[in-house]
Amino acid sequence: MQIVRPVGREAAAKKYDILSALMAHALAGDAHRQRLVLRLMSLITTRYNWQRNELSVGQREIARLWCVDERTVKRDMARLRAMGWITVKRQGARGRVSVLGIDLDRMLLDSRPAWPNIGEDYIARMTGREAALGDPEEEAPNVVPFRRSEATPVGQGPWAVIRDRLLAEDPALFEAWFACLVETGQGEGILHLAAPTRFHSTYVRTHLLGRLQMAARRADASLHSVRVD
């Protein structure tokens, strides 16, 4: 999936698109999800630096904005970190607050199932297919998946769940890079995978390991790392 970046001349419109994705994701969920996403959106619209990807605000200030106590702030920020939506860029020290980052890629991937509620034009814009809507002969993105001679048995363990998550997030990316990975073992919280070639394993480690690890933690809380050889 082509991730929308809030940069360039259309940065303002892209920011609205990202916030729209969060809104749709919240409205498609229960009251707990709606409240959590609304609180995050309040931080994005009031304190987030889009250019630097930095959110620098103390718990007391957040509590005042959310109209809650600091204990609630700690709990909800921990939930957002566990979801992978918020990361710690620089830990606070000597009275300074921590500098946080927001993983826009992760948020958009998680919110994608709710995009149809907004409309087909929104989906096309967010996935980079907008130009193709008026041209049925527009070529598909130039993604060349590795050929697989036979489907590899996956079983019913954590890797099967992880594969399903990755496939649901982005089918094209899954077929190109994740489908041919094979589980070779698991132990001490580490899931071991094998790639068909050295180039393939290097690419996954360099560009896609974060997505793999997040999917692994969501599938099985005991998994804290993924290794691709």
Side-chain angles (χ1 to χ4, degrees), residues 138-205:
E138 183 76 17
E139 294 185 358
N142 187 23
V143 177
V144 182
F146 284 81
R147 297 182 60 183
R148 291 173 288 148
S149 57
E150 295 182 359
T152 303
V154 178
Q156 300 299 322
W159 178 229
V161 178
I162 295 168
R163 283 171 55 94
D164 288 343
R165 288 181 180 273
L166 295 171
L167 176 60
E169 289 178 355
D170 194 326
L173 188 68
F174 174 84
E175 286 297 329
W177 298 104
F178 297 131
C180 56
L181 297 180
V182 178
E183 180 181 355
T184 58
Q186 179 182 337
E188 298 182 354
I190 302 174
L191 176 66
H192 296 269
L193 302 175
T197 66
R198 180 178 298 178
F199 168 78
H200 195 112
S201 63
T202 300
Y203 186 93
V204 172
R205 288 196 304 269

Short mmCIF file of all heavy atoms in Angstrom, two decimals, residues 138-205:
data_model
loop_
_atom_site.label_atom_id
_atom_site.label_comp_id
_atom_site.label_asym_id
_atom_site.label_seq_id
_atom_site.Cartn_x
_atom_site.Cartn_y
_atom_site.Cartn_z
N GLU A 138 -4.89 1.80 -17.08
CA GLU A 138 -3.76 2.19 -16.25
C GLU A 138 -3.10 0.94 -15.69
O GLU A 138 -3.74 0.03 -15.18
CB GLU A 138 -4.24 3.07 -15.09
CG GLU A 138 -3.13 3.59 -14.21
CD GLU A 138 -2.38 4.74 -14.86
OE1 GLU A 138 -2.88 5.34 -15.82
OE2 GLU A 138 -1.25 5.02 -14.40
N GLU A 139 -1.79 0.87 -15.78
CA GLU A 139 -1.07 -0.31 -15.33
C GLU A 139 -1.04 -0.39 -13.82
O GLU A 139 -1.05 0.63 -13.12
CB GLU A 139 0.37 -0.30 -15.87
CG GLU A 139 0.43 -0.43 -17.39
CD GLU A 139 1.86 -0.53 -17.85
OE1 GLU A 139 2.76 -0.46 -16.99
OE2 GLU A 139 2.09 -0.68 -19.06
N ALA A 140 -0.99 -1.60 -13.32
CA ALA A 140 -0.89 -1.81 -11.87
C ALA A 140 0.51 -1.45 -11.42
O ALA A 140 1.45 -1.36 -12.22
CB ALA A 140 -1.19 -3.27 -11.54
N PRO A 141 0.70 -1.19 -10.10
CA PRO A 141 2.03 -0.88 -9.58
C PRO A 141 3.02 -1.96 -9.95
O PRO A 141 2.69 -3.15 -10.01
CB PRO A 141 1.80 -0.82 -8.06
CG PRO A 141 0.35 -0.47 -7.93
CD PRO A 141 -0.33 -1.14 -9.07
N ASN A 142 4.26 -1.58 -10.19
CA ASN A 142 5.30 -2.48 -10.66
C ASN A 142 5.87 -3.28 -9.49
O ASN A 142 6.96 -3.01 -9.01
CB ASN A 142 6.40 -1.69 -11.36
CG ASN A 142 7.41 -2.60 -12.01
OD1 ASN A 142 7.13 -3.75 -12.31
ND2 ASN A 142 8.61 -2.08 -12.22
N VAL A 143 5.10 -4.26 -9.03
CA VAL A 143 5.54 -5.13 -7.96
C VAL A 143 5.72 -6.52 -8.53
O VAL A 143 4.77 -7.10 -9.08
CB VAL A 143 4.53 -5.17 -6.80
CG1 VAL A 143 4.99 -6.15 -5.73
CG2 VAL A 143 4.34 -3.79 -6.21
N VAL A 144 6.92 -7.06 -8.46
CA VAL A 144 7.20 -8.38 -9.00
C VAL A 144 7.40 -9.35 -7.86
O VAL A 144 8.45 -9.36 -7.21
CB VAL A 144 8.48 -8.35 -9.88
CG1 VAL A 144 8.73 -9.73 -10.48
CG2 VAL A 144 8.33 -7.30 -10.98
N PRO A 145 6.40 -10.18 -7.57
CA PRO A 145 6.54 -11.12 -6.45
C PRO A 145 7.47 -12.26 -6.80
O PRO A 145 7.64 -12.61 -7.97
CB PRO A 145 5.10 -11.62 -6.25
CG PRO A 145 4.47 -11.48 -7.59
CD PRO A 145 5.11 -10.26 -8.22
N PHE A 146 8.10 -12.84 -5.79
CA PHE A 146 8.92 -14.01 -5.98
C PHE A 146 8.02 -15.21 -6.29
O PHE A 146 6.98 -15.39 -5.68
CB PHE A 146 9.75 -14.30 -4.72
CG PHE A 146 10.91 -13.39 -4.56
CD1 PHE A 146 10.73 -12.12 -4.01
CD2 PHE A 146 12.18 -13.76 -4.95
CE1 PHE A 146 11.80 -11.26 -3.85
CE2 PHE A 146 13.26 -12.91 -4.79
CZ PHE A 146 13.07 -11.66 -4.24
N ARG A 147 8.44 -15.99 -7.23
CA ARG A 147 7.63 -17.14 -7.62
C ARG A 147 7.74 -18.24 -6.58
O ARG A 147 8.79 -18.52 -6.04
CB ARG A 147 8.10 -17.66 -8.98
CG ARG A 147 7.92 -16.65 -10.10
CD ARG A 147 8.34 -17.23 -11.42
NE ARG A 147 7.56 -18.42 -11.76
CZ ARG A 147 7.79 -19.15 -12.86
NH1 ARG A 147 8.76 -18.83 -13.69
NH2 ARG A 147 7.04 -20.20 -13.12
N ARG A 148 6.61 -18.89 -6.35
CA ARG A 148 6.58 -20.01 -5.42
C ARG A 148 6.09 -21.23 -6.17
O ARG A 148 5.00 -21.23 -6.74
CB ARG A 148 5.64 -19.71 -4.24
CG ARG A 148 6.13 -18.64 -3.31
CD ARG A 148 5.08 -18.31 -2.29
NE ARG A 148 3.97 -17.57 -2.91
CZ ARG A 148 2.72 -17.64 -2.52
NH1 ARG A 148 2.37 -18.45 -1.55
NH2 ARG A 148 1.78 -16.92 -3.12
N SER A 149 6.89 -22.28 -6.16
CA SER A 149 6.51 -23.47 -6.91
C SER A 149 5.34 -24.18 -6.26
O SER A 149 4.45 -24.71 -6.93
CB SER A 149 7.71 -24.43 -7.00
OG SER A 149 8.18 -24.76 -5.69
N GLU A 150 5.29 -24.21 -4.93
CA GLU A 150 4.21 -24.86 -4.21
C GLU A 150 3.92 -24.07 -2.96
O GLU A 150 4.78 -23.42 -2.38
CB GLU A 150 4.60 -26.30 -3.81
CG GLU A 150 4.81 -27.23 -5.01
CD GLU A 150 5.14 -28.63 -4.56
OE1 GLU A 150 5.22 -28.84 -3.32
OE2 GLU A 150 5.34 -29.51 -5.40
N ALA A 151 2.68 -24.12 -2.53
CA ALA A 151 2.31 -23.46 -1.28
C ALA A 151 2.91 -24.24 -0.12
O ALA A 151 2.83 -25.47 -0.06
CB ALA A 151 0.80 -23.41 -1.14
N THR A 152 3.53 -23.55 0.79
CA THR A 152 4.17 -24.18 1.94
C THR A 152 3.16 -24.36 3.06
O THR A 152 2.47 -23.42 3.42
CB THR A 152 5.32 -23.32 2.46
OG1 THR A 152 6.24 -23.09 1.39
CG2 THR A 152 6.04 -23.99 3.61
N PRO A 153 3.03 -25.56 3.62
CA PRO A 153 2.10 -25.76 4.73
C PRO A 153 2.44 -24.83 5.88
O PRO A 153 3.59 -24.69 6.27
CB PRO A 153 2.32 -27.23 5.11
CG PRO A 153 2.90 -27.87 3.88
CD PRO A 153 3.72 -26.80 3.24
N VAL A 154 1.43 -24.19 6.43
CA VAL A 154 1.67 -23.19 7.47
C VAL A 154 1.26 -23.69 8.84
O VAL A 154 1.86 -23.34 9.84
CB VAL A 154 0.90 -21.89 7.14
CG1 VAL A 154 1.11 -20.86 8.24
CG2 VAL A 154 1.37 -21.33 5.81
N GLY A 155 0.25 -24.54 8.91
CA GLY A 155 -0.20 -25.04 10.21
C GLY A 155 -1.14 -24.06 10.88
O GLY A 155 -1.72 -23.18 10.25
N GLN A 156 -1.27 -24.21 12.20
CA GLN A 156 -2.23 -23.39 12.94
C GLN A 156 -1.56 -22.58 14.05
O GLN A 156 -2.24 -22.08 14.92
CB GLN A 156 -3.29 -24.32 13.55
CG GLN A 156 -4.07 -25.12 12.54
CD GLN A 156 -4.84 -24.25 11.57
OE1 GLN A 156 -5.39 -23.22 11.96
NE2 GLN A 156 -4.90 -24.65 10.32
N GLY A 157 -0.25 -22.44 14.03
CA GLY A 157 0.47 -21.72 15.08
C GLY A 157 0.45 -20.22 14.87
O GLY A 157 -0.26 -19.69 14.02
N PRO A 158 1.28 -19.51 15.64
CA PRO A 158 1.35 -18.04 15.53
C PRO A 158 1.68 -17.55 14.13
O PRO A 158 1.16 -16.52 13.70
CB PRO A 158 2.46 -17.68 16.52
CG PRO A 158 2.48 -18.80 17.50
CD PRO A 158 2.13 -20.02 16.72
N TRP A 159 2.53 -18.25 13.39
CA TRP A 159 2.89 -17.80 12.06
C TRP A 159 1.68 -17.77 11.14
O TRP A 159 1.55 -16.89 10.28
CB TRP A 159 4.00 -18.67 11.48
CG TRP A 159 4.43 -18.32 10.08
CD1 TRP A 159 4.57 -19.16 9.03
CD2 TRP A 159 4.79 -17.03 9.58
NE1 TRP A 159 4.98 -18.49 7.91
CE2 TRP A 159 5.13 -17.16 8.22
CE3 TRP A 159 4.84 -15.75 10.16
CZ2 TRP A 159 5.52 -16.10 7.43
CZ3 TRP A 159 5.23 -14.67 9.37
CH2 TRP A 159 5.57 -14.85 8.01
N ALA A 160 0.75 -18.71 11.31
CA ALA A 160 -0.47 -18.71 10.50
C ALA A 160 -1.30 -17.47 10.79
O ALA A 160 -1.84 -16.84 9.87
CB ALA A 160 -1.28 -19.97 10.78
N VAL A 161 -1.39 -17.09 12.05
CA VAL A 161 -2.15 -15.89 12.43
C VAL A 161 -1.45 -14.64 11.90
O VAL A 161 -2.10 -13.71 11.40
CB VAL A 161 -2.30 -15.81 13.96
CG1 VAL A 161 -3.05 -14.55 14.37
CG2 VAL A 161 -3.02 -17.05 14.49
N ILE A 162 -0.13 -14.62 12.01
CA ILE A 162 0.64 -13.47 11.52
C ILE A 162 0.46 -13.31 10.02
O ILE A 162 0.26 -12.20 9.51
CB ILE A 162 2.13 -13.65 11.86
CG1 ILE A 162 2.32 -13.65 13.38
CG2 ILE A 162 2.98 -12.55 11.21
CD1 ILE A 162 3.70 -14.09 13.82
N ARG A 163 0.52 -14.40 9.29
CA ARG A 163 0.32 -14.36 7.84
C ARG A 163 -1.04 -13.77 7.48
O ARG A 163 -1.18 -12.95 6.57
CB ARG A 163 0.47 -15.76 7.24
CG ARG A 163 1.91 -16.25 7.11
CD ARG A 163 1.92 -17.73 6.71
NE ARG A 163 1.15 -17.95 5.50
CZ ARG A 163 1.69 -17.97 4.27
NH1 ARG A 163 2.99 -17.75 4.12
NH2 ARG A 163 0.94 -18.20 3.22
N ASP A 164 -2.07 -14.22 8.21
CA ASP A 164 -3.42 -13.72 7.94
C ASP A 164 -3.50 -12.21 8.16
O ASP A 164 -4.15 -11.49 7.39
CB ASP A 164 -4.44 -14.43 8.84
CG ASP A 164 -4.66 -15.87 8.43
OD1 ASP A 164 -4.30 -16.23 7.29
OD2 ASP A 164 -5.19 -16.65 9.26
N ARG A 165 -2.84 -11.72 9.22
CA ARG A 165 -2.85 -10.29 9.50
C ARG A 165 -2.15 -9.51 8.39
O ARG A 165 -2.65 -8.48 7.92
CB ARG A 165 -2.15 -10.01 10.83
CG ARG A 165 -2.95 -10.44 12.06
CD ARG A 165 -2.19 -10.09 13.33
NE ARG A 165 -2.92 -10.48 14.53
CZ ARG A 165 -3.83 -9.71 15.13
NH1 ARG A 165 -4.10 -8.51 14.63
NH2 ARG A 165 -4.46 -10.12 16.20
N LEU A 166 -0.99 -10.00 7.97
CA LEU A 166 -0.23 -9.31 6.93
C LEU A 166 -0.97 -9.33 5.60
O LEU A 166 -0.94 -8.34 4.86
CB LEU A 166 1.14 -9.98 6.79
CG LEU A 166 2.07 -9.85 8.01
CD1 LEU A 166 3.30 -10.74 7.83
CD2 LEU A 166 2.49 -8.40 8.23
N LEU A 167 -1.63 -10.44 5.30
CA LEU A 167 -2.40 -10.53 4.06
C LEU A 167 -3.56 -9.55 4.07
O LEU A 167 -3.84 -8.89 3.05
CB LEU A 167 -2.92 -11.96 3.88
CG LEU A 167 -3.83 -12.21 2.68
CD1 LEU A 167 -3.09 -11.88 1.38
CD2 LEU A 167 -4.31 -13.66 2.67
N ALA A 168 -4.24 -9.42 5.21
CA ALA A 168 -5.38 -8.50 5.31
C ALA A 168 -4.93 -7.05 5.19
O ALA A 168 -5.65 -6.21 4.63
CB ALA A 168 -6.12 -8.73 6.62
N GLU A 169 -3.74 -6.73 5.72
CA GLU A 169 -3.24 -5.36 5.68
C GLU A 169 -2.91 -4.90 4.27
O GLU A 169 -3.28 -3.80 3.86
CB GLU A 169 -1.99 -5.23 6.56
CG GLU A 169 -2.27 -5.29 8.04
CD GLU A 169 -0.99 -5.20 8.86
OE1 GLU A 169 0.11 -5.17 8.26
OE2 GLU A 169 -1.09 -5.16 10.08
N ASP A 170 -2.22 -5.77 3.52
CA ASP A 170 -1.77 -5.36 2.18
C ASP A 170 -1.50 -6.62 1.34
O ASP A 170 -0.41 -7.18 1.39
CB ASP A 170 -0.51 -4.52 2.29
CG ASP A 170 -0.17 -3.79 0.99
OD1 ASP A 170 -0.44 -4.35 -0.07
OD2 ASP A 170 0.34 -2.66 1.05
N PRO A 171 -2.49 -7.08 0.57
CA PRO A 171 -2.33 -8.32 -0.20
C PRO A 171 -1.15 -8.30 -1.16
O PRO A 171 -0.43 -9.29 -1.30
CB PRO A 171 -3.66 -8.43 -0.96
CG PRO A 171 -4.64 -7.69 -0.11
CD PRO A 171 -3.86 -6.54 0.47
N ALA A 172 -0.93 -7.17 -1.85
CA ALA A 172 0.16 -7.10 -2.83
C ALA A 172 1.52 -7.23 -2.14
O ALA A 172 2.40 -7.96 -2.60
CB ALA A 172 0.08 -5.79 -3.62
N LEU A 173 1.69 -6.52 -1.04
CA LEU A 173 2.95 -6.59 -0.30
C LEU A 173 3.15 -7.99 0.28
O LEU A 173 4.27 -8.52 0.27
CB LEU A 173 2.95 -5.56 0.82
CG LEU A 173 4.27 -5.38 1.57
CD1 LEU A 173 5.31 -4.76 0.66
CD2 LEU A 173 4.07 -4.52 2.81
N PHE A 174 2.07 -8.59 0.75
CA PHE A 174 2.16 -9.94 1.30
C PHE A 174 2.67 -10.92 0.24
O PHE A 174 3.58 -11.72 0.50
CB PHE A 174 0.79 -10.39 1.81
CG PHE A 174 0.75 -11.82 2.28
CD1 PHE A 174 1.16 -12.15 3.56
CD2 PHE A 174 0.34 -12.83 1.42
CE1 PHE A 174 1.15 -13.48 3.98
CE2 PHE A 174 0.32 -14.16 1.83
CZ PHE A 174 0.73 -14.48 3.12
N GLU A 175 2.06 -10.88 -0.95
CA GLU A 175 2.45 -11.81 -2.00
C GLU A 175 3.89 -11.59 -2.45
O GLU A 175 4.60 -12.53 -2.79
CB GLU A 175 1.50 -11.68 -3.20
CG GLU A 175 0.13 -12.28 -2.96
CD GLU A 175 0.19 -13.78 -2.73
OE1 GLU A 175 1.09 -14.44 -3.29
OE2 GLU A 175 -0.65 -14.28 -1.96
N ALA A 176 4.33 -10.34 -2.42
CA ALA A 176 5.67 -10.04 -2.90
C ALA A 176 6.76 -10.45 -1.92
O ALA A 176 7.82 -10.93 -2.33
CB ALA A 176 5.79 -8.54 -3.20
N TRP A 177 6.50 -10.29 -0.58
CA TRP A 177 7.59 -10.43 0.37
C TRP A 177 7.32 -11.40 1.54
O TRP A 177 8.26 -11.98 2.08
CB TRP A 177 7.96 -9.06 0.94
CG TRP A 177 8.44 -8.12 -0.10
CD1 TRP A 177 7.77 -7.08 -0.66
CD2 TRP A 177 9.71 -8.17 -0.77
NE1 TRP A 177 8.53 -6.47 -1.62
CE2 TRP A 177 9.73 -7.11 -1.70
CE3 TRP A 177 10.83 -9.00 -0.64
CZ2 TRP A 177 10.83 -6.87 -2.51
CZ3 TRP A 177 11.93 -8.75 -1.45
CH2 TRP A 177 11.93 -7.70 -2.37
N PHE A 178 6.09 -11.58 1.94
CA PHE A 178 5.81 -12.38 3.13
C PHE A 178 5.36 -13.81 2.83
O PHE A 178 5.59 -14.72 3.62
CB PHE A 178 4.75 -11.71 4.01
CG PHE A 178 5.16 -10.36 4.55
CD1 PHE A 178 4.33 -9.26 4.44
CD2 PHE A 178 6.39 -10.19 5.17
CE1 PHE A 178 4.70 -8.03 4.93
CE2 PHE A 178 6.78 -8.96 5.67
CZ PHE A 178 5.93 -7.87 5.54
N ALA A 179 4.70 -14.00 1.69
CA ALA A 179 4.08 -15.29 1.41
C ALA A 179 5.07 -16.44 1.36
O ALA A 179 4.75 -17.57 1.75
CB ALA A 179 3.30 -15.22 0.10
N CYS A 180 6.28 -16.19 0.88
CA CYS A 180 7.24 -17.27 0.72
C CYS A 180 8.17 -17.45 1.92
O CYS A 180 9.08 -18.27 1.90
CB CYS A 180 8.06 -17.05 -0.55
SG CYS A 180 8.91 -15.48 -0.60
N LEU A 181 7.95 -16.68 3.00
CA LEU A 181 8.71 -16.90 4.22
C LEU A 181 8.22 -18.18 4.90
O LEU A 181 7.02 -18.44 4.96
CB LEU A 181 8.57 -15.71 5.16
CG LEU A 181 9.10 -14.37 4.66
CD1 LEU A 181 8.88 -13.29 5.71
CD2 LEU A 181 10.58 -14.46 4.31
N VAL A 182 9.15 -18.93 5.44
CA VAL A 182 8.82 -20.21 6.06
C VAL A 182 9.29 -20.21 7.51
O VAL A 182 10.42 -19.80 7.80
CB VAL A 182 9.48 -21.38 5.30
CG1 VAL A 182 9.16 -22.71 5.99
CG2 VAL A 182 9.02 -21.40 3.85
N GLU A 183 8.42 -20.64 8.41
CA GLU A 183 8.82 -20.74 9.82
C GLU A 183 9.79 -21.89 10.01
O GLU A 183 9.53 -23.01 9.57
CB GLU A 183 7.59 -20.94 10.70
CG GLU A 183 7.93 -21.06 12.18
CD GLU A 183 6.71 -21.29 13.06
OE1 GLU A 183 5.58 -21.25 12.52
OE2 GLU A 183 6.90 -21.53 14.26
N THR A 184 10.91 -21.61 10.69
CA THR A 184 11.91 -22.64 10.94
C THR A 184 12.05 -22.99 12.42
O THR A 184 12.76 -23.93 12.76
CB THR A 184 13.28 -22.20 10.39
OG1 THR A 184 13.67 -20.97 11.01
CG2 THR A 184 13.22 -22.02 8.88
N GLY A 185 11.41 -22.22 13.26
CA GLY A 185 11.50 -22.52 14.69
C GLY A 185 11.00 -21.36 15.53
O GLY A 185 10.78 -20.26 15.04
N GLN A 186 10.86 -21.64 16.81
CA GLN A 186 10.40 -20.62 17.75
C GLN A 186 10.91 -20.97 19.13
O GLN A 186 10.83 -22.12 19.55
CB GLN A 186 8.87 -20.55 17.74
CG GLN A 186 8.28 -19.54 18.70
CD GLN A 186 6.76 -19.56 18.68
OE1 GLN A 186 6.16 -19.99 17.70
NE2 GLN A 186 6.14 -19.12 19.76
N GLY A 187 11.44 -19.98 19.83
CA GLY A 187 11.93 -20.22 21.18
C GLY A 187 12.42 -18.96 21.83
O GLY A 187 12.92 -18.04 21.17
N GLU A 188 12.23 -18.88 23.16
CA GLU A 188 12.66 -17.73 23.95
C GLU A 188 12.08 -16.43 23.41
O GLU A 188 12.74 -15.38 23.39
CB GLU A 188 14.19 -17.65 24.00
CG GLU A 188 14.83 -18.86 24.67
CD GLU A 188 16.34 -18.74 24.75
OE1 GLU A 188 16.88 -17.77 24.19
OE2 GLU A 188 16.97 -19.60 25.39
N GLY A 189 10.83 -16.48 22.94
CA GLY A 189 10.15 -15.29 22.47
C GLY A 189 10.57 -14.84 21.09
O GLY A 189 10.23 -13.73 20.68
N ILE A 190 11.31 -15.67 20.36
CA ILE A 190 11.80 -15.29 19.03
C ILE A 190 11.20 -16.24 17.99
O ILE A 190 11.26 -17.46 18.14
CB ILE A 190 13.33 -15.35 18.95
CG1 ILE A 190 13.96 -14.43 20.00
CG2 ILE A 190 13.82 -14.98 17.56
CD1 ILE A 190 15.46 -14.53 20.08
N LEU A 191 10.62 -15.66 16.95
CA LEU A 191 10.10 -16.44 15.83
C LEU A 191 11.14 -16.42 14.71
O LEU A 191 11.55 -15.34 14.27
CB LEU A 191 8.78 -15.84 15.33
CG LEU A 191 8.16 -16.51 14.09
CD1 LEU A 191 7.74 -17.93 14.40
CD2 LEU A 191 6.99 -15.68 13.57
N HIS A 192 11.57 -17.59 14.27
CA HIS A 192 12.60 -17.69 13.23
C HIS A 192 11.94 -18.01 11.90
O HIS A 192 11.15 -18.96 11.79
CB HIS A 192 13.61 -18.79 13.59
CG HIS A 192 14.39 -18.51 14.83
ND1 HIS A 192 15.59 -17.84 14.82
CD2 HIS A 192 14.12 -18.80 16.14
CE1 HIS A 192 16.05 -17.74 16.06
NE2 HIS A 192 15.18 -18.30 16.87
N LEU A 193 12.28 -17.22 10.88
CA LEU A 193 11.74 -17.41 9.54
C LEU A 193 12.89 -17.53 8.54
O LEU A 193 13.96 -16.97 8.75
CB LEU A 193 10.86 -16.22 9.14
CG LEU A 193 9.66 -15.92 10.05
CD1 LEU A 193 8.97 -14.64 9.58
CD2 LEU A 193 8.68 -17.08 10.05
N ALA A 194 12.63 -18.24 7.47
CA ALA A 194 13.62 -18.40 6.40
C ALA A 194 13.08 -17.82 5.11
O ALA A 194 11.90 -18.02 4.77
CB ALA A 194 13.97 -19.88 6.21
N ALA A 195 13.93 -17.08 4.39
CA ALA A 195 13.57 -16.50 3.11
C ALA A 195 14.19 -17.33 1.99
O ALA A 195 15.18 -18.04 2.21
CB ALA A 195 14.05 -15.05 3.04
N PRO A 196 13.65 -17.26 0.77
CA PRO A 196 14.17 -18.09 -0.33
C PRO A 196 15.55 -17.67 -0.81
O PRO A 196 16.29 -18.50 -1.35
CB PRO A 196 13.12 -17.90 -1.42
CG PRO A 196 12.45 -16.60 -1.12
CD PRO A 196 12.44 -16.50 0.38
N THR A 197 15.92 -16.41 -0.65
CA THR A 197 17.23 -15.94 -1.11
C THR A 197 17.81 -14.97 -0.10
O THR A 197 17.10 -14.42 0.75
CB THR A 197 17.14 -15.21 -2.47
OG1 THR A 197 16.39 -14.00 -2.31
CG2 THR A 197 16.46 -16.09 -3.52
N ARG A 198 19.12 -14.73 -0.22
CA ARG A 198 19.77 -13.78 0.67
C ARG A 198 19.25 -12.36 0.44
O ARG A 198 19.05 -11.60 1.38
CB ARG A 198 21.29 -13.82 0.45
CG ARG A 198 22.06 -12.85 1.35
CD ARG A 198 23.55 -12.96 1.15
NE ARG A 198 24.04 -14.29 1.51
CZ ARG A 198 25.30 -14.67 1.39
NH1 ARG A 198 26.21 -13.83 0.89
NH2 ARG A 198 25.66 -15.89 1.73
N PHE A 199 19.04 -12.01 -0.84
CA PHE A 199 18.50 -10.68 -1.14
C PHE A 199 17.13 -10.50 -0.49
O PHE A 199 16.83 -9.44 0.08
CB PHE A 199 18.39 -10.49 -2.65
CG PHE A 199 17.59 -9.27 -3.03
CD1 PHE A 199 18.14 -8.00 -2.96
CD2 PHE A 199 16.26 -9.40 -3.45
CE1 PHE A 199 17.40 -6.87 -3.30
CE2 PHE A 199 15.52 -8.27 -3.78
CZ PHE A 199 16.09 -7.01 -3.71
N HIS A 200 16.31 -11.54 -0.58
CA HIS A 200 14.95 -11.46 -0.02
C HIS A 200 15.01 -11.23 1.50
O HIS A 200 14.30 -10.36 2.04
CB HIS A 200 14.19 -12.76 -0.32
CG HIS A 200 12.72 -12.66 -0.12
ND1 HIS A 200 11.82 -12.72 -1.15
CD2 HIS A 200 11.98 -12.52 1.01
CE1 HIS A 200 10.59 -12.60 -0.67
NE2 HIS A 200 10.66 -12.49 0.64
N SER A 201 15.83 -11.98 2.18
CA SER A 201 15.93 -11.85 3.64
C SER A 201 16.48 -10.47 4.02
O SER A 201 16.01 -9.86 4.99
CB SER A 201 16.81 -12.95 4.22
OG SER A 201 18.14 -12.86 3.75
N THR A 202 17.45 -9.98 3.26
CA THR A 202 18.03 -8.66 3.55
C THR A 202 16.99 -7.56 3.38
O THR A 202 16.89 -6.64 4.19
CB THR A 202 19.23 -8.39 2.64
OG1 THR A 202 20.23 -9.39 2.86
CG2 THR A 202 19.82 -7.01 2.93
N TYR A 203 16.19 -7.67 2.32
CA TYR A 203 15.18 -6.65 2.07
C TYR A 203 14.13 -6.64 3.19
O TYR A 203 13.74 -5.57 3.69
CB TYR A 203 14.49 -6.91 0.73
CG TYR A 203 13.52 -5.81 0.35
CD1 TYR A 203 13.92 -4.74 -0.43
CD2 TYR A 203 12.19 -5.84 0.81
CE1 TYR A 203 13.03 -3.72 -0.77
CE2 TYR A 203 11.30 -4.82 0.48
CZ TYR A 203 11.72 -3.77 -0.30
OH TYR A 203 10.84 -2.77 -0.61
N VAL A 204 13.68 -7.81 3.59
CA VAL A 204 12.66 -7.90 4.65
C VAL A 204 13.21 -7.34 5.95
O VAL A 204 12.53 -6.58 6.66
CB VAL A 204 12.18 -9.35 4.83
CG1 VAL A 204 11.28 -9.47 6.06
CG2 VAL A 204 11.43 -9.82 3.59
N ARG A 205 14.45 -7.69 6.30
CA ARG A 205 15.05 -7.18 7.53
C ARG A 205 15.20 -5.66 7.50
O ARG A 205 15.02 -4.98 8.51
CB ARG A 205 16.41 -7.83 7.78
CG ARG A 205 16.33 -9.30 8.20
CD ARG A 205 17.66 -9.74 8.81
NE ARG A 205 18.78 -9.52 7.91
CZ ARG A 205 19.22 -10.42 7.04
NH1 ARG A 205 18.62 -11.61 6.94
NH2 ARG A 205 20.25 -10.15 6.25
#
